[in-house]
Structure formats: C-alpha cells, structure tokens
Amino acid sequence: MRKILTVLAAFAVACSPGQENDLKLWYDEPAEHWVEALPVGNGRLGAMVFGGTSSERIQLNEETVWAGQPNSNANPDIEPGALEEIRQLIFQGKYRAAQDMVDRKIFFPTNHGMSYQTVGDLLLDFPGHDAATGYRRELDIANALTSVFYEVDGVQYAREVFSSLADDVLVMKISASRKGAISFKASFSTPQNAEIAVEDGELVLRGTTSSQEGLEGKVRFTAKARICPTGGMIEVCDASLAVKNADEALIYVDIATNFVRYDDISADPEGRLEERMEDLGSKSYSAMRKAHIGAYREYFDRVSLDLGTSPAAARTTDVRVKEFAQGDDPQLVELYFQFGRYLLICSSQPGGQPANLQGIWADGLNPAWDSKYTTNINVEMNYWPAEITALEECHEPMIRLVKEVAQEQGRAAAAMYDARGWTMHHNTDIWRATWPIDRAQSGMWMTGGAWMCRHLWEHYLYTGDKEFLRKVYPTMLGAAKFFSQTMVKEPNNGWLIVAPSVSPENSPKGGVPLN
C-alpha cells in the first residue's frame, strides 16, 4: 500500500508544478488573539507567532511541560461488585440511578489528569514601529516558515521564524533594507513559577510546572534565548537584552525539561540545552534554513492536491474563510487539507510525545480540557491523516502511547473490572493516567482500547510491516482479552454488549440529561 501511495504522491506532485507557492496562510494585520497567531513546530518545540510591529509576542511550548508528576490516578477504594449492581440498574432502565452509582462507587479518582502548559513568551519591543505600512504576515506551509513584512520610515523590515526539524531549535531572523536600522529589546515573560535572568549574554528562564488537584508539579524546565546581531551592539538591561543599530539579528530559542518518560523525570535540563545549543555559532542561517526545509519536505512533498483556483485565492485567509460558503474557492480546500498535514508533521515526530488536544500549541496554565489526550475521538482525529496522506512516521508517538497505556491499564483493568488485558477510558495525559475521569456521563467509557488498536491495525494495513505487527500483537491481544472477559449478555435479546459504557454526545433513550 505504501508503494502505491508513493507512486500516486509522486504523480500528483509532478502534475502540480509550483503549487507550493500558493500554500500560504496570510493576513494584512497582526494577530490580536492567541488563536489568530501562526503555529510553527518541530514535534518537540512549538511557538505561536503573533506578528506585531512595535511589539512581537512569540508564545512558547515544549511537548513535555505538563503539570504534576509521575502518578496513578486510580480510585483506591472501588467497591467489589459495584459494576454488576450498576449493570442491573441499566438493564432495568434506571439510568439515573446507574449514573449516580458510577459517580459514587467507581469515580472520585485521586486526580482527573494533568494539564499541558505554556513555558511563557519571548517578547520583542521595536521602538518607533507603531506606524507601519505595507503589512503582511504569512505561514508558508510548503516550507514550514512564518514571516512578517512591513515598512517604517522608508525601511522595509522582515522577520522569519521556524522551529527547525534539522537542528531542533527555534530560529528567528530579523532583517532590514537599511544597515543599522534594527533596534529592539528582548525579554521573557511567563505565568509559571519561574526566575528570569541574563546569564553569559543569554536570556534564561527557569521554572517548575504548577501543581494540580493536590499533585505537586515537578517538571523542571529551562528556556534560553541567544541573540546574535550583525553590526550594532547588544546591552544587558536587568533581565532583558537590548540590540541597537544592528544590520540584522538572529535569535535562537531552546527549551529543555527533566522529563525522560512518563515514569521518569530524572534528566538535566541544563545539560540538554548545552548539548543542543553548543554548535549553533558554527552554522549559518541560510544553512540552517535549508536543512530545516529539506527535513520538513521529506514528509510534506509525499502528497500533493490540486483542485484548481479562482480569484478568491488572492484575498487574505481570514476573508476567504468568511466568504467560502457563498463563493467559489476550491484552492482553500487544498490549503485546508495541507494545513492538516502541516500541523501533524509539526506536532508529532518519531521519538517524541503524540499530538495532544491542541497539538503542541497551548497558552496559559489551564488550556481547554487541559489539552490532554481525549481518546474518545480527538486523538484519533489528529491522526486520521497519518497513514492515508503518507505520514506514517508521524503515527509512531501515538502508537507508543497506546503501548505505554496498555502497560498501565493492565493494573486498572484488574482493579476495576476484575479482568485480564487492558482498556482505555476517554482521557489520558503525559503520565499515562488510566482511571475514568470527569463524571459518569462522559467518563464511563470502556471501549478506548478497541479504538486505539484500530490505529495499530491501520498502520499495518498501509505499510504491510509484519515485524511491526508482531511487536504490537500482544497489545492488540490484551485489548481483545479485556472485552472477552467484560462483555455481558443483554437480558432481553441475549446480545453480547459492553456495559456500562456511554458517550457524552448520545444519552440513553428517554434517560439521563447531560447537564
């Protein structure tokens, strides 16, 4: 199957010369809200670029910056026989009583899973750039670059940002059409419990993630920003750096944590940063840019789509989205399709964490739904493009999560269901939480193991990799064993069913309201 996809992808690219030049999200004003900023990422290191003129905000994420610490959120006081009692209430149509019993006897875990969190922001202040003209910001999804262009007092300014897939660091270039025209102040800001300083000419932010639901935050992280101007000078101003009258400036940002895996946080953030940033001075910007684009396009260029174009393609992306239902804009569908592939490439790289509810991009300490792994549909949706659009390597982090959860859920299955094997409920986090969370009407969902195993099987169907199948077979067998021991006969028809199990979008007939 992969060979067929490769041939089709090559044919599509050959039939669409130069199409990548049209694959840009672009706007004629800076982002005002976080959701309007443009995302860059290399799987591990993510940023949202706002594109301001006088004040730029680069919101920063690192994939392992989560609240809490390694833990189990299992209910230590589950009552034997509770499940059978709940099933009988369901079979009698007493759904409210069954729901209340689940909440009372099954739930009340030690926590409901931890939150994915921001590291903070890199802030750049450009004096005198309030009255900019000719503004444009864009995200080039064919090359994984975001750019800002504008003019002030006859000088053209440009900023380009990418999160390098080759060098594993965030890179920004600030340039101008006139020498000595670049002056700005750089600083860090964060809502985390952290200290900010200038050390050895670099901006440094050190912090520890927050506690949540009584579980102490123990993920330690360090962020560093190194500024390398050409011409001009650089000064230290308390906890910030000021660049004055430079011809151009390069900024490198990296973040490291003490996270090793879901049950180990023994790494040294400082050592990791030193190793990754050690050789940055020996590489030119053009070489790093070329290496990043090459690494990115190894994935992106496998599939192309050409639906034609129309005059609507000349408008800004926000206008195109607003007018799409009433107009003719087939190229926006192509852009949307490829933007989905872009986001998966940038938030799920082999060896890293899988894309969470918001990929790797989340603002603040309490993002929506904690930005966890919502496994009753959202994680699956993230990975729908993985195999069918030839991004099979990007599937690896999710597949690894399934195997890790299976190890932890084996204990939960035994404690909660008195069953062998494993299953997954509707949420997990970086610590591979295993217990059902939230409340009965959304969290009492015991079929996640089957849904997750479908992704393992899809990977095999598309790759034909029998060695992979041999490795994941025990995980799939464990999910099957769980259902073979927990499914029960429905009394009226004798059907073999899963109970209790609910969907928050599908209440029982005539039964329990969602609120």
Side-chain angles (χ1 to χ4, degrees):
M1 177 65 74
R2 174 61 195 277
K3 291 181 179 178
I4 296 173
L5 279 175
T6 302
V7 172
L8 290 175
F11 176 77
V13 171
C15 291
S16 306
Q19 120 170 2
E20 67 273 7
N21 296 327
D22 299 324
L23 294 176
K24 293 180 179 179
L25 284 70
W26 74 278
Y27 307 85
D28 57 9
E29 58 184 10
E32 182 177 352
H33 304 290
W34 184 84
V35 293
E36 298 170 345
L38 295 173
V40 295
N42 65 1
R44 184 186 67 84
L45 194 61
M48 295 289 281
V49 183
F50 282 65
T53 55
S54 61
S55 180
E56 171 66 290
R57 177 188 175 195
I58 312 291
Q59 186 269 317
L60 302 169
N61 287 106
E62 201 276 349
E63 64 175 354
T64 62
V65 176
W66 288 69
Q69 59 179 286
N71 74 97
S72 169
N73 73 333
N75 182 352
D77 300 317
I78 187 170
E79 297 184 22
L83 274 177
E84 184 56 34
E85 194 174 349
I86 291 164
R87 286 168 177 152
Q88 292 308 313
L89 289 171
I90 292 172
F91 295 152
Q92 295 167 22
K94 298 178 180 179
Y95 304 124
R96 172 62 71 180
Q99 175 177 293
D100 291 345
M101 186 170 289
V102 170
D103 282 331
R104 190 171 65 253
K105 294 189 176 182
I106 302 294
F107 275 51
F108 298 106
T110 55
N111 66 71
H112 292 267
M114 296 291 104
S115 294
Y116 180 57
Q117 299 186 327
T118 184
V119 170
D121 302 319
L122 175 65
L123 303 176
L124 306 176
D125 294 318
F126 297 88
H129 287 209
D130 303 79
T133 60
Y135 181 89
R136 176 185 173 110
R137 67 183 173 103
E138 66 181 34
L139 174 63
D140 179 355
I141 63 174
N143 294 298
L145 304 168
T146 185
S147 304
V148 178
F149 309 95
Y150 60 89
E151 182 175 321
V152 176
D153 297 331
V155 179
Q156 287 80 45
Y157 292 91
R159 298 197 299 269
E160 187 173 70
V161 181
F162 60 90
S163 186
S164 176
L165 271 80
D167 292 295
D168 200 15
V169 66
L170 187 75
V171 185
M172 172 186 280
K173 180 181 180 181
I174 305 173
S175 57
S177 62
R178 182 186 302 164
K179 289 189 175 183
I182 297 173
S183 297
F184 64 92
K185 184 174 77 171
S187 59
F188 275 135
S189 174
T190 181
Q192 298 275 12
N193 178 22
E195 295 181 352
I196 298 172
V198 175
E199 298 176 4
D200 298 324
E202 297 178 334
L203 289 173
V204 181
L205 186 160
R206 291 187 183 89
T208 303
T209 56
S210 59
S211 303
Q212 186 170 333
E213 295 188 82
L215 186 66
E216 183 182 357
K218 290 190 176 181
V219 176
R220 294 183 293 107
F221 60 89
T222 301
K224 289 188 178 182
R226 180 183 300 173
I227 303 177
C228 302
T230 299
M233 60 184 297
I234 185 168
E235 296 180 348
V236 176
C237 305
D238 295 326
S240 63
L241 293 172
V243 173
K244 297 182 178 181
N245 307 121
D247 301 334
E248 69 174 31
L250 301 180
I251 304 178
Y252 305 100
V253 181
D254 198 2
I255 305 163
T257 77
N258 61 342
F259 182 94
V260 178
R261 50 177 265 147
Y262 68 93
D263 56 0
D264 184 352
I265 51 173
S266 64
D268 173 22
E270 306 287 332
R272 285 176 161 178
L273 279 180
E274 183 177 351
E275 181 179 351
R276 285 199 294 263
M277 300 184 77
E278 183 179 9
D279 296 328
L280 289 179
S282 65
K283 301 177 181 180
S284 69
Y285 178 80
S286 59
M288 293 183 71
R289 186 181 189 271
K290 181 179 180 181
H292 162 68
I293 293 173
Y296 171 76
R297 296 192 69 154
E298 281 290 321
Y299 297 98
F300 187 79
D301 284 353
R302 295 172 184 174
V303 171
S304 179
L305 178 67
D306 187 352
L307 300 177
T309 189
S310 72
R315 302 185 183 110
T316 60
T317 305
D318 53 335
V319 171
R320 294 173 71 184
V321 171
K322 290 178 182 177
E323 297 180 350
F324 182 77
Q326 290 76 39
D328 175 27
D329 192 357
Q331 199 270 340
L332 186 62
V333 178
E334 173 194 348
L335 187 63
Y336 184 71
F337 167 79
Q338 292 288 24
F339 186 48
R341 297 182 70 240
Y342 168 85
L343 292 174
L344 185 59
I345 295 168
C346 294
S347 64
S348 184
Q349 283 290 304
Q353 296 299 309
N356 62 51
L357 196 58
Q358 294 178 198
I360 53 170
W361 303 278
D363 196 16
L365 304 183
N366 300 289
W369 293 283
D370 295 335
S371 199
K372 296 195 291 279
Y373 300 102
T374 304
T375 54
N376 64 357
I377 187 57
N378 301 103
V379 170
E380 293 87 342
M381 291 171 70
N382 283 347
Y383 286 91
W384 284 346
E387 303 295 339
I388 200 168
T389 71
L391 298 177
E392 63 186 47
E393 298 95 332
C394 297
H395 217 164
E396 187 272 338
M398 180 190 176
I399 291 170
R400 181 162 29 85
L401 176 143
V402 175
K403 293 190 287 186
E404 290 173 352
V405 170
Q407 295 171 10
E408 295 301 305
Q409 284 279 15
R411 291 188 280 274
M416 183 173 177
Y417 300 103
D418 192 25
R420 296 169 60 202
W422 69 279
T423 191
M424 182 181 285
H425 299 97
H426 90 297
N427 256 280
T428 189
D429 60 11
I430 197 170
W431 313 117
R432 306 310 185 237
T434 59
W435 210 257
I437 65 166
D438 295 338
R439 58 195 185 279
Q441 62 205 67
S442 58
M444 192 62 250
W445 186 75
M446 54 193 285
T447 55
W451 284 43
M452 290 295 125
C453 284
R454 181 67 198 180
H455 281 262
L456 308 185
W457 184 243
E458 285 290 319
H459 184 74
Y460 168 69
L461 290 180
Y462 275 86
T463 63
D465 186 344
K466 292 184 178 179
E467 182 59 29
F468 165 81
L469 186 61
R470 275 191 284 269
K471 290 179 180 178
V472 299
Y473 178 76
T475 302
M476 299 170 70
L477 179 62
K481 284 181 178 179
F482 172 82
F483 286 106
S484 73
Q485 294 175 56
T486 56
M487 295 179 74
V488 294
K489 284 190 177 182
E490 187 272 335
N492 294 328
N493 301 285
W495 298 330
L496 203 58
I497 65 168
V498 176
S501 188
V502 300
S503 165
E505 287 77 29
N506 186 18
S507 298
K509 181 179 178 181
V512 182
L514 293 183
N515 296 306

